[in-house]
Amino acid sequence: LAKIWPKGTIHAFEPNPSTYSMLVKQVQDIANIITYNVALGDKIGMVDFYVCRHPYLPLEEDTADPSSIFPPIRDKMPNVRFDEVIQVPMLTLDHWAEMFGVDHVDFMWLDMQGAEGIVLQACPNIFSTARVIQTEVFREPFYENTMLLPDLDHFFYINGFVPIYQNVGRAGDVIYRRD
């Protein structure tokens, strides 16, 4: 994204401390990327974060994917271990924008393991400025409290967005554009 929009500012959020460290190393020489070690959600404060591991990663490896602020539905992901719950700070996008003086976001890319819906509902100010949103979607719940694709589609529709790209099986991605 930083190469596509070299004059834009990319704000990257990562709540997992070990993954955040890797992110910082990867983007340290890219001037237009700002990183934040926080979860985005529907409230401000500390929140449980469910750290999971793929079976092909060694136990000491801290790379956590697909971790989430939502508890996993374990029988939906039998090959993924959720070995740890940690506390991480959480902000709403509107609160973050107010703190950092951000008055608009042209493009959002949300890959939040089921929390996309609550994040969008909790940021009416910044959401109203977005022109394009790419989001992870689920047809079935892999995490508790996940807003499923039909409900997300409806949410985007009533807010003036139309889907312009979909790649969705049981889960996937949709790009919505404000009409």
Side-chain angles (χ1 to χ4, degrees):
L1 292 176
K3 289 179 184 178
I4 294 170
W5 292 296
K7 293 181 181 180
T9 302
I10 311 300
H11 299 276
F13 301 85
E14 175 52 57
N16 185 314
S18 60
T19 306
Y20 179 76
S21 294
M22 290 186 294
L23 169 65
V24 169
K25 286 178 189 174
Q26 289 176 343
V27 304
Q28 65 187 350
D29 297 325
I30 306 172
N32 63 333
I33 298 179
I34 302 170
T35 62
Y36 306 87
N37 189 198
V38 299
L40 295 175
D42 60 349
K43 60 186 173 188
I44 300 164
M46 299 302 285
V47 64
D48 285 344
F49 186 72
Y50 298 84
V51 180
C52 65
R53 301 176 190 278
H54 289 284
Y56 55 81
L57 294 175
L59 187 57
E60 62 276 3
E61 175 63 57
D62 275 339
T63 301
D65 183 292
S67 300
S68 179
I69 61 170
F70 287 156
I73 299 173
R74 294 180 190 268
D75 64 339
K76 294 284 188 174
M77 297 179 279
N79 295 327
V80 179
R81 295 191 331 249
F82 291 85
D83 295 333
E84 186 178 11
V85 179
I86 62 174
Q87 289 277 299
V88 299
M90 176 186 281
L91 297 174
T92 67
L93 269 172
D94 279 354
H95 184 74
W96 161 81
E98 186 177 314
M99 286 175 50
F100 291 95
V102 176
D103 64 358
H104 73 282
V105 174
D106 295 315
F107 174 78
M108 286 188 207
W109 181 355
L110 304 174
D111 186 342
M112 307 175 74
Q113 306 315 122
E116 297 81 4
I118 68 155
V119 168
L120 293 170
Q121 290 176 324
C123 69
N125 296 332
I126 283 297
F127 179 72
S128 71
T129 71
R131 295 163 48 195
V132 177
I133 299 176
Q134 177 175 334
T135 184
E136 183 175 38
V137 297
F138 296 88
R139 289 192 190 277
E140 58 186 272
F142 289 85
Y143 303 87
E144 294 178 16
N145 306 313
T146 298
M147 184 183 288
L148 300 180
L149 180 57
D151 294 323
L152 266 174
D153 269 343
H154 180 72
F155 174 78
F156 278 105
Y157 174 77
I158 64 173
N159 283 285
F161 284 84
V162 295
I164 60 171
Y165 169 83
Q166 289 190 13
N167 182 14
V168 183
R170 293 173 53 201
D173 290 290
V174 178
I175 299 175
Y176 297 91
R177 181 190 73 224
R178 189 180 302 273
D179 266 356

